[in-house]
Amino acid sequence: MSLSWWNGRTVPAGEVHISPDDSGFLFGDGLFETLRVDDGRARDVEAHLDRLLAGLRRVEIELPEDRRALEAAVAEVAAAAPRPVARLRITVTRGARLVTTASYEPPEENLYRQGVFVRLLPAYRIDSGGPLAGLKSLCYQGNRLALRQAESRGDWEALLLNEHGRLVEGSRCNLAVVLADRVFTPPASDGCLPGTVRRRLLETGAIEERPLSPGDLAAAGEVLLMNSLIGVLPVSRIDGQEIPVGPTAERLRRAWAARLPPPA
Amino acid sequence: MSLSWWNGRTVPAGEVHISPDDSGFLFGDGLFETLRVDDGRARDVEAHLDRLLAGLRRVEIELPEDRRALEAAVAEVAAAAPRPVARLRITVTRGARLVTTASYEPPEENLYRQGVFVRLLPAYRIDSGGPLAGLKSLCYQGNRLALRQAESRGDWEALLLNEHGRLVEGSRCNLAVVLADRVFTPPASDGCLPGTVRRRLLETGAIEERPLSPGDLAAAGEVLLMNSLIGVLPVSRIDGQEIPVGPTAERLRRAWAARLPPPA
């Protein structure tokens, strides 16, 4: 039976109900994290809790539990998660704390060889100087609408720009671009979410921060998407234009796996 | 006993619980409306439903109920709302529909004579060309953070700019400025929420749309805030600078009251 952790207690998943007065439901006033769970063990809890706790300080949401208690909650909920792979979500609003899981079907292996289609949606501008920049805020409707629009045209992901017209990220992934044998990802100052796969690959030196423009996509040898659920996935088509799938995604996937802390 | 309307049924208010899988809670993927209820009768249901239904079409959320059913739900929930004044909220997510009420304490009458303090927060930029512009989205965390920041300094409201540096609105109010005996409010194309009080006053000709800059605040004879709960409230201080409270707020309050459709 799946378990959830809810305001300090572990309960059967079906018992969790959110109050209609919760600030997360009323105003999206909260933050979340999405972790991958393989066979009951959550990946890179350290990086996710680093980001969550830093974000909560920024928006001034106080957590009654300390980090160790959150780690224990994640481990307990992960251990009871659907197998073989699950998605674990930590949600903290100005009023409720929640750890839940759901079954997750990872991309098939051939997708890692074939790559996925993406579409640039210039109307969805990220405000790199705004109060929510870099936060995994519950205010995700713009991202969801961008993803719906991309999916309605047969694409797997939408690519988003910031207010200066620079490339920032996908609606649910970080972005990396291979230019002359180096791998670049937009800097945090351009407004991207500081993703956990991105973080680990920056730590190893496998990728580097550099501002990127839409023109860099056309010049790129390879284009890659990264997030905690998929790892690193190559792109094979941008706005209908083919782009080669090279060896970099697979190389980064291995570098990332080697860099991960032992599972919780 | 307070009632709520929940996915097509009227239930005791305490029975409503939101699923942790609801898209409104997960991603702020929904819209809401806030109406004032006086002695069990909701104000200007017509304008609120006009805006809600137009917004739902934009974000492609389909409602199983028709407009007449929503009107009936609002009327039934309003009739059971706390007296003398309540706040009624309609929330529609990609998955749930909800009408709830809570007791509301309106501003005291002397606040309408004295005015309130506001603070311009230039860091909170509204994206006038973005996918959520003009929508009363559940993604309201930026507005809430701005309001917290203003309140922490003793102000009643935060004033927000758009990406071009033009004045747009408050965190929970529309804005109007008296310049040479005319009353101007930022145009919808500058990214403001098309508020219901604003709409009714535009219909009467009592206010007009015109782009406004922060410099217009310094030149203004009077500055006013508008929303469905407060009506029209004068501003008496902007960023610590006094501004006179003139006769316009009271005049507009009366013009608005005269324009309201009969209560539902």
Side-chain angles (χ1 to χ4, degrees), chain A residues 7-235:
Chain A
N7 296 335
R9 293 185 309 124
T10 305
V11 298
E15 288 186 11
V16 176
H17 296 293
I18 307 304
S19 161
D21 298 326
D22 183 79
S23 70
F25 182 71
L26 290 176
F27 303 119
D29 194 7
L31 304 179
F32 73 105
E33 293 288 331
T34 304
L35 289 72
R36 176 161 165 162
V37 179
D38 293 281
D39 292 320
R41 296 160 74 121
R43 270 189 193 170
D44 211 352
V45 178
E46 179 186 354
H48 286 282
L49 289 186
D50 283 352
R51 182 172 68 183
L52 176 66
L53 296 173
L56 292 173
R57 282 192 295 274
R58 253 183 74 190
V59 299
E60 297 180 340
I61 292 179
E62 280 187 44
L63 214 51
E65 288 80 19
D66 64 10
R67 182 176 180 125
R68 195 173 293 256
L70 278 186
E71 283 168 356
V74 168
E76 186 178 2
V77 172
R83 314 261 165 148
V85 187
R87 174 166 41 190
L88 181 147
R89 181 172 155 128
I90 311 173
T91 309
V92 180
T93 73
R94 210 176 292 280
R97 298 94 66 205
L98 192 58
V99 180
T100 55
T101 57
S103 179
Y104 175 68
E105 185 98 35
E108 290 184 14
E109 265 309 308
N110 66 8
L111 211 60
Y112 287 91
R113 289 186 294 271
Q114 295 168 1
V116 296
F117 300 171
V118 301
R119 186 161 296 271
L120 187 64
L121 294 181
Y124 293 74
R125 296 277 169 140
I126 288 159
D127 182 4
S128 69
L132 305 186
L135 291 176
K136 205 162 173 70
S137 166
L138 296 179
C139 292
Y140 227 61
Q141 188 173 35
N143 294 51
R144 299 295 290 181
L145 292 175
L147 181 60
R148 280 171 64 87
Q149 193 176 330
E151 286 180 342
S152 74
R153 300 171 76 166
D155 294 301
W156 193 88
E157 177 59 307
L159 301 186
L160 310 177
L161 307 177
N162 71 12
E163 77 277 25
H164 306 298
R166 288 200 287 270
L167 275 172
V168 177
E169 62 193 356
S171 77
R172 52 179 171 167
C173 296
N174 284 118
L175 175 72
V177 167
V178 180
L179 291 167
D181 291 333
R182 291 165 72 186
V183 191
F184 296 106
T185 192
S189 57
D190 270 351
C192 70
L193 193 81
T196 59
V197 178
R198 176 183 177 281
R199 168 183 159 173
R200 294 305 184 194
L201 290 172
L202 284 169
E203 286 171 355
T204 66
I207 66 175
E208 307 165 64
E209 285 189 323
R210 205 199 84 174
L212 295 171
S213 72
D216 290 321
L217 288 178
E222 299 168 61
V223 173
L224 315 166
L225 302 174
M226 307 174 274
N227 77 28
S228 61
L229 293 174
I230 61 170
V232 185
L233 196 56
V235 170

Side-chain angles (χ1 to χ4, degrees), chain B residues 231-253:
Chain B
V232 185
L233 195 57
V235 171
S236 62
R237 192 180 286 182
I238 302 174
D239 294 345
Q241 297 283 325
E242 304 291 333
I243 177 164
V245 172
T248 308
E250 185 57 28
R251 179 169 63 78
L252 294 185
R253 249 178 118 190

